[in-house]
Amino acid sequence: MSFGQSMIPPSTVHSSNNYNLPETTFQNIHKVNVIVLQYAFLLQTMFTACELGVFDLLHELGEPLTTETIASRLCTSVDGTDRLLTACVGLKLLKVELKNNEASYSNTDLSSIYLVKSSPKSLYHMMMYHSNTIYTCWQFLPQAVREGKSQYERAFGVSSKDIFTAIYRSEEEMVAFVSFMDSIWNICGKYVIQAFDLSMFHTVFDLGGCSGALAKQFASTYPGSTVTVMDLQNVIQTAKKYFMTDSDQHISFIEGDFFNDPIPEADLFIIARIIHDWTEDKCHLLLNKVYQSCRPGGGVLLVEVLLNEDRSGPVTSQLYSLNMLVQTEGRERTPSEYTKILTDCGFRDIQVKSTGKLYDAILGKKLA
């Protein structure tokens, strides 16, 4: 059997079998095999096309290109390129035109918007971070489940004791991670910022705000506010070097470790995709500090993916929680778990808002 061939050919699913198993068993086996093929192979196909620059080349030249032309420009084999392009057509990432029995390829709207590196809504950096970092960690998922801890040491030979020292293990890796988060908030940020009316909060701190992308979304939605990003020194330097322009002067930065350094007073603290990185004890440590620095009548906005209360889903949140296992000390949580953590730290009037998008919002307030 060839590597890409189904374990159970489609024709077998609908015919009698030699194992005297119920027909539904063979149908289920085929469904599982299709899932493996579609998701495992699909992602690597997309990652590879991004890494090689297929979508960028087609965008830059602005016209359909043949396999030979693409292979020549990308310095790849004609046969391998042909197979990759064909798979991308099947995934609706490319369009194909046949003229005189010769195929020419162009980007679909999907790839033009999300996979071309120069697109304002590009997820290219997310693709690359998943391909080069997250998938490497996931090779050690069995060990993570056995041991209950991050696998950075096995994956990259660096200590997992300080998770962000591991994540920021080189300037290249730091730029990759910050680029990844920047692309996420450029697309998803407005939905969590607009989940609640936050117009009453004028002084805002985005803790662990990385590139400043979410801070920009807040400032755009509430132009009367002052927004400051607090993050580690090397992260702030990276953000200023690669992600800030002259038009972003309204965003301020302060260098600091929110666990160990003082947190300045503010009306609102944004903590986006931070709490899920940490153990319960560290979550309480951070949120207790935030509560002390929060002005009366102020609040805290958590941005996370939420698990259903009965643990039945959503599958995206469940998979993210596994990812937290292989990469960090934390996990994803249910709305009631976030509510309890915030309440334990003094916040009241907890509101949870599902955005219907990738990330949800939880708002807690400090009573006046």
Side-chain angles (χ1 to χ4, degrees):
M1 185 190 304
S2 66
F3 183 75
Q5 188 178 359
S6 294
M7 294 184 294
I8 306 296
S11 58
T12 307
V13 175
H14 303 291
S15 63
S16 60
N17 61 73
N18 298 322
Y19 301 97
N20 296 319
L21 293 174
E23 202 69 23
T24 54
T25 300
F26 278 78
Q27 292 172 344
N28 289 335
I29 291 173
H30 180 62
K31 287 178 182 177
V32 169
N33 191 58
V34 167
I35 289 172
V36 171
L37 288 174
Q38 284 187 341
Y39 288 92
F41 293 2
L42 178 156
L43 290 173
Q44 289 300 331
T45 299
M46 186 163 55
F47 293 160
T48 299
C50 283
E51 182 175 332
L52 294 176
V54 171
F55 308 112
D56 293 328
L57 175 65
L58 291 169
H59 173 75
E60 289 164 11
L61 297 187
E63 61 182 8
L65 301 178
T66 65
T67 300
E68 288 75 11
T69 300
I70 294 171
S72 175
R73 293 290 188 122
L74 299 180
C75 300
T76 54
S77 70
V78 173
D79 178 49
T81 303
D82 179 65
R83 300 185 199 203
L84 178 64
L85 296 174
T86 301
C88 286
V89 170
L91 296 174
K92 310 301 182 186
L93 302 177
L94 293 178
K95 297 180 287 189
V96 62
E97 303 174 22
L98 282 176
K99 292 183 179 179
N100 300 321
N101 208 33
E102 184 176 48
S104 294
Y105 299 89
S106 58
N107 287 332
T108 61
D109 290 343
L110 179 70
S111 57
S112 293
I113 295 171
Y114 296 112
L115 300 180
V116 171
K117 193 188 301 185
S118 60
S119 168
K121 294 186 176 181
S122 178
L123 291 176
Y124 170 86
H125 294 290
M126 184 186 80
M127 297 292 114
M128 291 300 91
Y129 193 77
H130 275 77
S131 178
N132 298 326
T133 300
I134 294 178
Y135 263 57
T136 304
C137 288
W138 271 68
Q139 294 177 33
F140 303 98
L141 179 60
Q143 291 90 331
V145 172
R146 291 189 188 102
E147 300 166 0
K149 67 178 185 179
S150 167
Q151 294 299 304
Y152 264 93
E153 191 160 355
R154 281 194 174 91
F156 301 107
V158 295
S159 173
S160 301
K161 290 182 179 179
D162 184 326
I163 62 172
F164 279 92
T165 297
I167 290 172
Y168 299 148
R169 59 194 178 277
S170 69
E171 182 178 359
E172 181 182 5
E173 286 300 318
M174 177 176 295
V175 172
F177 180 82
V178 177
S179 298
F180 163 40
M181 296 308 300
D182 188 75
S183 65
I184 289 294
W185 296 131
N186 283 337
I187 295 175
C188 302
K190 67 178 181 180
Y191 300 111
V192 293
I193 293 301
Q194 296 173 10
F196 301 101
D197 178 6
L198 305 174
S199 59
M200 72 288 295
F201 303 120
H202 303 296
T203 305
V204 181
F205 265 75
D206 184 1
L207 301 184
C210 227
S211 72
L214 196 58
K216 294 177 192 177
Q217 294 282 359
F218 192 97
S220 176
T221 304
Y222 302 103
S225 61
T226 61
V227 188
T228 302
V229 173
M230 181 177 182
D231 214 317
L232 300 173
Q233 180 183 31
N234 48 3
V235 178
I236 297 298
Q237 291 171 350
T238 298
K240 290 181 176 179
K241 182 177 180 180
Y242 294 102
F243 300 97
M244 304 304 290
T245 66
D246 291 340
S247 63
D248 298 320
Q249 296 303 314
H250 55 294
I251 304 296
S252 301
F253 289 89
I254 182 172
E255 298 173 357
D257 177 338
F258 49 59
F259 281 122
N260 298 309
D261 295 325
I263 297 176
E265 280 193 354
D267 298 323
L268 178 71
F269 292 92
I270 301 172
I271 307 179
R273 300 299 279 159
I274 299 293
I275 297 300
H276 78 150
D277 290 330
W278 304 105
T279 62
E280 301 295 308
D281 287 344
K282 286 190 176 179
C283 291
H284 281 90
L285 172 62
L286 174 57
L287 288 170
N288 275 318
K289 289 186 66 177
V290 169
Y291 184 82
Q292 294 303 316
S293 296
C294 186
R295 292 170 181 152
V300 59
L301 179 71
L302 305 186
V303 179
E304 298 289 354
V305 300
L306 298 175
L307 290 167
N308 294 342
E309 294 292 353
D310 63 1
R311 306 287 176 167
S312 61
V315 67
T316 301
S317 304
Q318 293 164 330
L319 294 175
Y320 269 131
S321 201
L322 273 178
N323 189 52
M324 291 301 98
L325 175 64
V326 299
Q327 283 201 281
T328 73
E329 301 175 9
R331 62 186 178 88
E332 308 300 347
R333 295 175 173 88
T334 64
S336 62
E337 288 174 317
Y338 282 114
T339 298
K340 184 178 187 306
I341 292 174
L342 288 170
T343 301
D344 288 347
C345 296
F347 292 99
R348 297 293 181 264
D349 190 22
I350 313 299
Q351 301 174 67
V352 179
K353 182 69 69 73
S354 174
T355 65
K357 308 296 181 181
L358 186 57
Y359 300 112
D360 298 313
I362 307 107
L363 180 66
K365 294 182 180 178
K366 181 174 182 177
L367 299 181

